[in-house]
Amino acid sequence: MKNFLLTMSALAFTCAGTLSAQAQDINGDATAGAQKNALCTGCHGIQGYHIGFPEVHQVPKISGQGAGYIRAALHAYKAGERKHPSMRTLASSLSDQDIADLAAYYESNGTGVNLPAAAAEGSAKAAELLTKGGCTSCHGPNLSKPIDPSYPKIAGQHADYLYVALRSYKINDKPLIGRAHPVMGGIAKQFSSKELKVLADYVASLPSEMQTVQRSRFK
């Protein structure tokens, strides 16, 4: 396990370097992003909104998420590394400047809460799985301070979304489902679906800097 985690850490820094260079190319403007988010609010601006593909789950909270991760995710959809059809279509319609502006906007709209330095303990099983996956080594001791801007905050994210996202990293042979990521693919494949559910439930129970900002019906 120690060697596995060391290998994953090495891959993480390799990927992070690439994504960080990409993220630094263009400066995002939060004010401009606020004028470009109409398509985003159709799903991410409705509290409790669920989608049905690839199974029913809440869309992720993105207000307060790190700008570097939002950029990395949108570029991954645009490149086809993430295969979700509607997100690929949306991302493909965005310029690099649009992506940077939207990322800056959503990063600026977090909850503003002060999080503990380390995540609260969960069940013994959750603690075992957290250690096995080395989650804090990438996402930070409170799971909201990732070691690289291109990695997501995950504390307090919706459990059903986390579960679907984690499972998607295990899928490599479907045209419309799956995420290609050398680090997360290796980690997720260690776990059964039942174990991923335990992890997702624990992470979702933690306090979060992320939220869903309800859109105005008149916007």
Side-chain angles (χ1 to χ4, degrees), residues 186-218:
I187 290 172
K189 288 172 184 175
Q190 299 179 91
F191 299 105
S192 68
S193 292
K194 184 177 180 180
E195 289 173 327
L196 291 178
K197 181 70 165 55
V198 172
L199 265 178
D201 287 345
Y202 163 69
V203 173
S205 73
L206 301 173
S208 183
E209 295 176 309
M210 297 179 292
Q211 62 180 337
T212 297
V213 176
Q214 181 68 37
R215 69 175 181 179
S216 168
R217 69 177 61 186
F218 301 111

Side-chain angles (χ1 to χ4, degrees), residues 118-210:
E121 290 186 9
S123 67
K125 184 62 175 178
E128 173 193 336
L129 297 175
L130 197 72
T131 299
K132 180 179 179 181
C135 304
T136 58
S137 66
C138 286
H139 299 285
N142 63 1
L143 300 180
S144 196
K145 301 295 180 187
I147 62 170
D148 184 87
S150 65
Y151 291 175
K153 302 174 183 180
I154 57 174
Q157 185 59 269
H158 297 306
D160 51 358
Y161 166 73
L162 287 170
Y163 175 66
V164 169
L166 286 167
R167 287 182 62 198
S168 73
Y169 287 111
K170 299 173 67 174
I171 300 172
N172 304 115
D173 58 349
K174 304 291 184 183
L176 301 178
I177 306 171
R179 296 182 179 183
H181 193 283
V183 179
M184 285 305 303
I187 290 172
K189 288 172 184 175
Q190 299 179 91
F191 299 105
S192 68
S193 292
K194 184 177 180 180
E195 289 173 327
L196 291 178
K197 181 70 165 55
V198 172
L199 265 178
D201 287 345
Y202 163 69
V203 173
S205 73
L206 301 173
S208 183
E209 295 176 309
M210 297 179 292

Side-chain angles (χ1 to χ4, degrees), residues 30 44 47 61-67 70 102-115 144-145 153 155-157 207-214:
H44 297 283
Q47 293 180 8
K61 305 172 188 179
I62 58 173
S63 290
Q65 180 60 270
I70 294 174
L102 287 167
Y105 168 71
Y106 278 106
E107 182 180 62
S108 71
N109 287 295
T111 62
V113 300
N114 292 318
L115 300 183
S144 196
K145 301 295 180 187
K153 302 174 183 180
Q157 185 59 269
S208 183
E209 295 176 309
M210 297 179 292
Q211 62 180 337
T212 297
V213 176
Q214 181 68 37

Side-chain angles (χ1 to χ4, degrees), residues 29-135:
D29 183 331
T31 301
Q35 305 303 313
K36 297 178 178 181
N37 74 335
L39 290 176
C40 307
T41 60
C43 291
H44 297 283
I46 303 174
Q47 293 180 8
Y49 187 76
H50 288 67
I51 59 173
F53 182 85
E55 57 191 83
V56 176
H57 65 281
Q58 293 184 82
V59 299
K61 305 172 188 179
I62 58 173
S63 290
Q65 180 60 270
Y69 170 70
I70 294 174
R71 288 195 191 200
L74 287 172
H75 280 292
Y77 283 118
K78 196 171 183 177
E81 295 164 4
R82 292 188 176 196
K83 301 177 185 178
H84 193 283
S86 59
M87 283 302 303
R88 283 198 66 187
T89 300
L90 187 149
S92 295
S93 72
L94 301 173
S95 69
D96 289 351
Q97 185 66 62
D98 292 336
I99 289 174
D101 292 343
L102 287 167
Y105 168 71
Y106 278 106
E107 182 180 62
S108 71
N109 287 295
T111 62
V113 300
N114 292 318
L115 300 183
E121 290 186 9
S123 67
K125 184 62 175 178
E128 173 193 336
L129 297 175
L130 197 72
T131 299
K132 180 179 179 181
C135 304

